[in-house]
Amino acid sequence: MPESHRRTRSKGYGAISATRESRPAGERTKVVSRTGPHRSESVRLAVLNAADDLLVERGFAALTIEGIAQRAGVAKQTIYRWWKSKVDILLDTLTDDARDALQWHPAEGDSAEEALSAHLRRVSDFFEEPAGRVLQALLGHAQLDEDTAKSLRAGFLKDQRALDTAGLREVLAREDVTVDDSGLDLLVDMMLGPLYYRALLFGSPIDKGLVDTTARVTLALARELSAARS
Amino acid sequence: MPESHRRTRSKGYGAISATRESRPAGERTKVVSRTGPHRSESVRLAVLNAADDLLVERGFAALTIEGIAQRAGVAKQTIYRWWKSKVDILLDTLTDDARDALQWHPAEGDSAEEALSAHLRRVSDFFEEPAGRVLQALLGHAQLDEDTAKSLRAGFLKDQRALDTAGLREVLAREDVTVDDSGLDLLVDMMLGPLYYRALLFGSPIDKGLVDTTARVTLALARELSAARS
Amino acid sequence: MPESHRRTRSKGYGAISATRESRPAGERTKVVSRTGPHRSESVRLAVLNAADDLLVERGFAALTIEGIAQRAGVAKQTIYRWWKSKVDILLDTLTDDARDALQWHPAEGDSAEEALSAHLRRVSDFFEEPAGRVLQALLGHAQLDEDTAKSLRAGFLKDQRALDTAGLREVLAREDVTVDDSGLDLLVDMMLGPLYYRALLFGSPIDKGLVDTTARVTLALARELSAARS
Amino acid sequence: MPESHRRTRSKGYGAISATRESRPAGERTKVVSRTGPHRSESVRLAVLNAADDLLVERGFAALTIEGIAQRAGVAKQTIYRWWKSKVDILLDTLTDDARDALQWHPAEGDSAEEALSAHLRRVSDFFEEPAGRVLQALLGHAQLDEDTAKSLRAGFLKDQRALDTAGLREVLAREDVTVDDSGLDLLVDMMLGPLYYRALLFGSPIDKGLVDTTARVTLALARELSAARS
DNA sequence: CATTAAGCGAGACGGTACGTCCCGTCTTGTC
DNA sequence: GACAAGACGGGACGTACCGTCTCGCTTAATG
């Protein structure tokens, strides 16, 4: 039995935040006084790990609820009790795993352009990692299924967008470049678009030239927008 | 039974070129001495129309070979005789339909920036059309299935990339901006990336600001690269 | 919520005798030092009533432990604590309900033939009643499951057989017809066989002709056997 | 893999008569001009044999569609294409197997009583045979499920009743005993009732005494009815 | 009279079988 | 030989209950 490639699952999340997707916040009111057994955390982890192990090993098409159940040593019904579909499971793993990898942590001494380049490099690399595969699969499935698209946009993508906007703003502020919200929106699209485009359409590893150029062009545009403001 | 939204399918392609994907060139030698009826063109059209009608009406998940066969009034085996899978059928419809819509035809009197903007506007609109839905579905499926990715990249995406490179070069030439091949590659990514990013990740209609900015930034970068050459 | 058709459940039995099947005598030794609450009689009744209400309303196939638990407002585990299976529950209801209905109480002034006819008439009618449905279901299930067959034969059927033998002997004695035990066995089969045959195989209401003929033939045979003895 | 205990399945029925239950006569009009594959007879036999082998080996409760499919080497869907349920399959095996065993073939030189006794002896023995187990299971299930009851009564039981009435009439005619139809109905109940009663309720092998007495009493009653007519 | 073990409602869990959908292959008969 | 029709072996689906197992509360005899 292969050790899961993920090590950090059990670290850094409580049951509540981590199960956001399967136990929406609004439902919490219902859970006033509960007697009887509680949801097993070990089951939850086994399922999440089984799911993205299988995704990485065999691909999305070969990912089945029955396969996940078997690999996790769990009954099918237990999966259906907490998740609506295999996509719902993957959305859960995403919350745990992808968030860290796509975080902005610009190095202290870097210039704005260096910081941007470094971040974009990390985004590029992300697509090669297991968590990146999960995001890729979900983005793919979102093209095929409107519900998936909705969930993904309302959850992960919205949050990530906020992080990216904030991160970019902060980096620009280092060089006193300030851009309003609509400008930042534009900049984020200009900055991330080319990377996702290459990754999703051509699947090729993203070359350093594209990353650096993107960073440089984004910064140039930001300066232009900043100047126009004053 | 709804009239298919496609009208131009039967025009402008012969059976041979259009079925490139399902009948590879090497197989043509086999068709030397043939008895019995030939492939029915009406069957081919019925299948292609049924497939993308169903895709648009019910979505990719509900698209099944049996459903297509029924809708087309065709036996399942007939489909399997000519196509390997439902994805193969969609690849076929794409060849027929998407090519036109993503063609470059810059207006005579336009400036480079106007021409770029106009083309990008058309790309943006394309995602709303039926043919755009087909491409979206195939791009989605390509994230989930390596074979689909290969076929799509080796066929449609490669051709389209060539068209885009050539189109961009031609438009830039209008203002004596000349960029080498690797530069054009970069420019195409910068130009189309943001549009695909918004369309695939957020599904929102692409606003004019993004299109115009992308055109302007691309042109600026092109000039820079051109200057660096001389 | 429908009022149960049974009214007499709570009358005339103690918890001990009634739960014979689920608490065998040998187990009583275990109950040496007991603290905590005792078995709730209201739970027991709720389960028994729920079970045969559901049996009559929806049939045996739709009778599930979970359904009974829900209808009775009882936890599943509580049922499993006291009964082994839904069949075990039905066996319990049978003990309460069927015994009365199949009792012999020959009217004082009746001739043997009148008494026999009257009793057989009551047997016929029994199959239309709720308690008769329970017996029918158990007899049916006994054909499918050897354990059920064993329990039913060792319990209800054995007791009932004894009642029928005694009842018949007593009625015959009124006219000084005396038959030995093996003869009585034969007579009981001849007397009840046709009724059960019609009820179980054809499900049709049993007509008076059959009942009277059966009574008459049984009596004739009894006289013959009695004569042969002396 | 055990050789099925049935040897006569493939003998003595055509596809049409044998599939009465799954292809009702009224449907034949639909089968006007049929192209495409036909129902596989070998599949049909494999399923019927698997079903009653399993019934005899493991009992009705352990008889599952999946088990039958596996044992027969057949896909589950293939079973559902032709039969509605496991009960429907058993009804089909009954048509093939039980009919012969319950046929009347009175020996030429026998007296009426000898002929009756001989026939009833064969009925008694039938319950021990595999085909008897099938009938027992179906009779059992008919007590639990109204649909089963209907099918069984409308098919097998109705036919068998007709055979029994005719057989009895013929045997009585040997000694110039003639009884009208309603009388015969009564006689059949009197004759078979005790046997089924013992077999179904007590499951014990039926002793010779009961068989002979039943035959004798039936004949006596028949003579009485015959006399009353003239 | 507090202790403490059982009864109990609730329901999570590992399972099995259900009946359905669709896959891709194969067979039959028609044109 | 292409084609319509559709039977077939197969795999996964999502559902219904099974019987076992905690969990946290309530209750009643015993120490």
Side-chain angles (χ1 to χ4, degrees), chain A residues 72-212:
Chain A
V74 142
K76 213 168 26 152
Q77 185 55 49
T78 298
I79 295 186
Y80 282 110
R81 188 160 21 243
W82 301 111
W83 294 276
K84 290 191 321 254
S85 62
K86 64 179 179 177
V87 168
D88 202 30
I89 300 174
L90 291 180
L91 283 168
D92 234 359
T93 72
L94 200 61
T95 310
D96 286 13
D97 298 333
R99 187 61 70 237
D100 297 352
L102 293 178
Q103 208 81 12
W104 288 67
H105 11 229
E108 280 304 314
D110 283 1
S111 70
E113 188 170 337
E114 283 166 343
L116 276 189
S117 273
H119 180 71
L120 295 186
R121 184 79 255 157
R122 296 180 67 238
V123 172
S124 305
D125 292 344
F126 171 70
F127 290 110
E128 318 286 331
E129 297 166 23
R133 298 290 169 194
V134 172
L135 178 56
Q136 181 191 13
L138 286 170
L139 286 173
H141 200 259
Q143 311 307 314
L144 307 178
D145 179 70
E146 195 48 42
D147 286 353
T148 302
K150 274 208 186 85
S151 303
L152 195 57
R153 284 167 192 154
F156 180 83
L157 290 178
K158 184 156 156 288
D159 294 353
Q160 187 58 41
R161 182 81 183 186
L163 286 180
D164 290 333
T165 309
L168 180 59
R169 189 193 341 253
E170 189 193 317
V171 163
L172 292 178
R174 295 184 172 195
E175 314 204 342
D176 296 321
V177 179
T178 54
V179 184
D180 63 18
D181 282 359
S182 76
L184 278 170
D185 245 28
L186 206 85
L187 286 167
V188 169
D189 291 337
M190 293 297 301
M191 172 177 75
L192 294 176
L195 269 50
Y196 277 82
Y197 176 69
R198 283 224 67 90
L200 300 184
L201 268 71
F202 300 97
S204 43
I206 295 159
D207 65 291
K208 191 136 189 13
L210 181 61
V211 168
D212 290 345

Side-chain angles (χ1 to χ4, degrees), chain A residues 39-48 72-74 78-79 82-83:
Chain A
R39 175 173 188 177
S40 158
E41 181 64 10
S42 66
V43 159
R44 188 180 162 271
L45 292 178
V47 169
L48 295 184
V74 142
T78 298
I79 295 186
W82 301 111
W83 294 276

Side-chain angles (χ1 to χ4, degrees), chain D residues 30-39 82:
Chain D
K30 193 201 326 193
V31 189
V32 174
S33 95
R34 269 275 282 102
T35 186
H38 296 304
R39 175 173 187 178
W82 302 111

Side-chain angles (χ1 to χ4, degrees), chain C residues 53-226:
Chain C
D53 287 357
L54 284 172
L55 177 71
V56 170
E57 284 173 28
R58 313 226 191 123
F60 186 87
L63 186 67
T64 66
I65 295 277
E66 295 198 339
I68 296 169
Q70 188 159 15
R71 166 82 92 125
V74 142
K76 226 176 8 156
Q77 183 54 45
T78 301
I79 295 185
Y80 282 108
R81 198 174 357 255
W82 302 110
W83 294 275
K84 289 191 323 254
S85 64
K86 66 178 177 175
V87 168
D88 201 32
I89 300 174
L90 291 181
L91 284 168
D92 233 359
T93 73
L94 199 62
T95 310
D96 286 14
D97 299 332
R99 187 63 69 237
D100 297 352
L102 293 177
Q103 208 81 8
W104 287 69
H105 10 228
E108 281 302 314
D110 282 0
S111 70
E113 189 170 337
E114 284 166 344
L116 276 187
S117 273
H119 180 70
L120 295 185
R121 184 79 257 155
R122 297 180 65 237
V123 171
S124 305
D125 292 344
F126 171 71
F127 291 109
E128 319 286 332
E129 298 165 22
R133 298 290 168 196
V134 172
L135 178 56
Q136 182 191 12
L138 286 170
L139 286 173
H141 200 259
Q143 311 307 313
L144 307 177
D145 179 71
E146 195 49 42
D147 287 353
T148 302
K150 275 207 186 87
S151 302
L152 194 58
R153 283 167 193 154
F156 179 83
L157 290 179
K158 185 157 156 287
D159 294 354
Q160 187 58 41
R161 182 81 182 186
L163 286 180
D164 290 333
T165 309
L168 180 58
R169 187 190 348 248
E170 188 192 319
V171 164
L172 292 178
R174 294 184 174 196
E175 312 203 344
D176 296 322
V177 178
T178 53
V179 184
D180 62 20
D181 282 359
S182 76
L184 278 171
D185 245 29
L186 205 86
L187 286 168
V188 169
D189 291 338
M190 293 296 302
M191 172 177 75
L192 294 177
L195 270 50
Y196 277 82
Y197 176 70
R198 283 225 68 92
L200 299 184
L201 269 71
F202 300 96
S204 42
I206 295 158
D207 66 291
K208 192 139 189 7
L210 180 61
V211 169
D212 290 346
T213 304
T214 307
R216 189 162 53 80
V217 165
T218 302
L219 192 56
L221 180 58
R223 288 203 173 100
E224 190 184 313
L225 293 174
S226 180

Side-chain angles (χ1 to χ4, degrees), chain A residues 35-38 64-66 76 80:
Chain A
T35 184
H38 297 301
T64 65
I65 296 275
E66 294 198 339
K76 213 168 26 152
Y80 282 110

Side-chain angles (χ1 to χ4, degrees), chain A residues 59-61 133 136-145 149 153 157-158 161 164 185-186 188-204 207 209-210 213-214 216-218 221 224-225, chain B residues 59-61 133 136-145 149 153 157-158 161 164 185-186 188-204 207 209-210 213-214 216-218 221 224-225:
Chain A
F60 185 88
R133 298 290 169 194
Q136 181 191 13
L138 286 170
L139 286 173
H141 200 259
Q143 311 307 314
L144 307 178
D145 179 70
R153 284 167 192 154
L157 290 178
K158 184 156 156 288
R161 182 81 183 186
D164 290 333
D185 245 28
L186 206 85
V188 169
D189 291 337
M190 293 297 301
M191 172 177 75
L192 294 176
L195 269 50
Y196 277 82
Y197 176 69
R198 283 224 67 90
L200 300 184
L201 268 71
F202 300 97
S204 43
D207 65 291
L210 181 61
T213 304
T214 307
R216 188 162 54 81
V217 166
T218 302
L221 180 58
E224 189 185 312
L225 293 174
Chain B
F60 186 87
R133 297 290 170 196
Q136 181 191 13
L138 286 170
L139 285 173
H141 200 259
Q143 312 306 314
L144 307 178
D145 179 70
R153 283 166 193 157
L157 289 178
K158 185 156 156 286
R161 183 80 182 186
D164 289 334
D185 246 27
L186 206 82
V188 169
D189 291 338
M190 293 297 302
M191 171 178 75
L192 295 176
L195 270 50
Y196 277 82
Y197 176 70
R198 283 225 69 90
L200 299 184
L201 267 71
F202 299 96
S204 43
D207 66 290
L210 181 61
T213 304
T214 307
R216 189 162 55 78
V217 165
T218 302
L221 180 57
E224 189 184 312
L225 292 175

